[in-house]
Amino acid sequence: MGDFPLLSEESTISYRSISVMPGWYVIVELTNKNISDITQQFSAWGGVYGSILVGFTILYMLTLVLLEKKDKKIYMGLSTTDPLTGILNRRAFQIAVEEELRKKTPGIFIFIDVDNFKIYNDTYGHNNGDFCLKHFAKTMKSCFPEDSIIGRYGGDEFVVYLKNLTGEMARTYMETFQRMISQLTLPTGEAVELSASAGGAAFPEQGEDVMSLCKSADMALYKVKQNGKADFKMKGM
């Protein structure tokens, strides 16, 4: 076998025998510098892959956090909003009004009932009944002041808290509301007449919490229904 040339740099030699050729070997000689370069390259690539892995991990965690917040927001929306009309549900309305009462914000609590809704529902069908309720909610939002708290109490019953208004001012708004809801064209093209009965109670004079205001307004509403419906009455008037 011939002589191997001498290398000027320190080197590492490795060899392995060839099983099918006894006495023959494969010899590999690398300078320590080359080995170091290879090691550094592996280390560098390892760092790159490691950084990529960390980046993907962070991105994955951020995605989970964002999805959780989105789901929570959707859940909160569903838990405070009436699914049919898009206004506050009963519980959310009570919480919002209680907050105003804690701040001693004077106002008028109004209980509104759709007149003859059962007859209307039976005559025109439940889909048109739902259309009627949506019409009521939409009209409330466009009629009453922007800072009013508006909710669906349940079924065909609606509630509103008018901040910083007197009973007479509330009556003016309710008269406008009656006119706005009176004419409704159904999706089928039929024109129908609607009306509402409503009772109001003033805070803090006629109720110091949501339940007492609701009771006082309901008593006024009952008197309206006894006298022919389609009107608004404040408690004690």
Side-chain angles (χ1 to χ4, degrees):
M1 296 177 63
D3 296 332
F4 289 98
L6 296 175
L7 298 175
S8 58
E9 300 182 39
E10 292 185 2
S11 60
T12 299
I13 299 175
S14 62
Y15 62 91
R16 175 169 295 184
S17 62
I18 303 175
S19 58
V20 296
M21 300 176 66
W24 288 77
Y25 298 88
V26 174
I27 301 174
V28 177
E29 182 175 9
L30 291 173
T31 65
N32 290 343
K33 180 178 182 304
N34 289 337
I35 294 174
S36 177
D37 290 343
I38 293 172
T39 302
Q40 290 178 6
Q41 289 178 11
F42 274 111
S43 298
W45 280 108
V48 171
Y49 286 124
S51 298
I52 293 174
L53 181 61
V54 171
F56 274 117
T57 302
I58 293 173
L59 181 61
Y60 175 72
M61 295 302 294
L62 288 174
T63 301
L64 290 180
V65 171
L66 291 174
L67 287 175
E68 182 180 356
K69 287 184 176 180
K70 182 179 179 182
D71 290 342
K72 184 176 180 180
K73 184 177 181 181
I74 293 173
Y75 172 76
M76 288 298 293
L78 292 174
S79 66
T80 60
T81 304
D82 175 60
L84 177 64
T85 61
I87 58 178
L88 295 177
N89 60 27
R90 179 174 177 173
R91 176 172 174 76
F93 173 83
Q94 291 177 338
I95 292 174
V97 173
E98 284 170 356
E99 178 63 25
E100 294 301 323
L101 301 187
R102 279 194 292 270
K103 294 188 294 186
K104 305 299 182 182
T105 306
I108 305 297
F109 183 104
I110 302 177
F111 213 127
I112 305 173
D113 193 9
V114 183
D115 288 335
N116 307 312
F117 183 71
K118 186 179 186 306
I119 297 175
Y120 175 91
N121 217 23
D122 293 342
T123 303
Y124 298 102
H126 293 287
N127 288 337
N128 286 317
D130 289 346
F131 186 77
C132 169
L133 296 177
K134 292 177 183 178
H135 172 62
F136 260 68
K138 182 179 179 181
T139 305
M140 290 176 71
K141 288 192 289 186
S142 61
C143 174
F144 297 126
E146 188 175 350
D147 64 347
S148 302
I149 303 174
I150 299 171
R152 184 183 179 195
Y153 200 75
D156 61 344
E157 299 173 330
F158 294 84
V159 280
V160 58
Y161 187 71
L162 304 177
K163 303 178 188 178
N164 301 303
L165 296 186
T166 64
E168 285 303 316
M169 296 169 70
R171 170 171 288 280
T172 300
Y173 275 107
M174 284 304 303
E175 289 173 351
T176 302
F177 177 72
Q178 290 279 18
R179 289 194 300 270
M180 292 177 68
I181 63 169
S182 62
Q183 300 296 324
L184 175 64
T185 301
L186 301 178
T188 57
E190 297 174 271
V192 296
E193 294 184 3
L194 298 174
S195 65
S197 297
F203 171 77
E205 297 85 0
Q206 295 168 334
E208 297 182 351
D209 54 35
V210 173
M211 295 307 297
S212 59
L213 284 170
C214 185
K215 183 178 179 180
S216 296
D218 192 41
M219 290 173 62
L221 170 61
Y222 180 72
K223 290 185 178 181
V224 170
K225 290 184 176 181
Q226 282 185 320
N227 295 325
K229 304 181 180 179
D231 197 6
F232 168 69
K233 184 178 180 63
M234 287 289 299
K235 183 178 184 298
M237 296 178 63

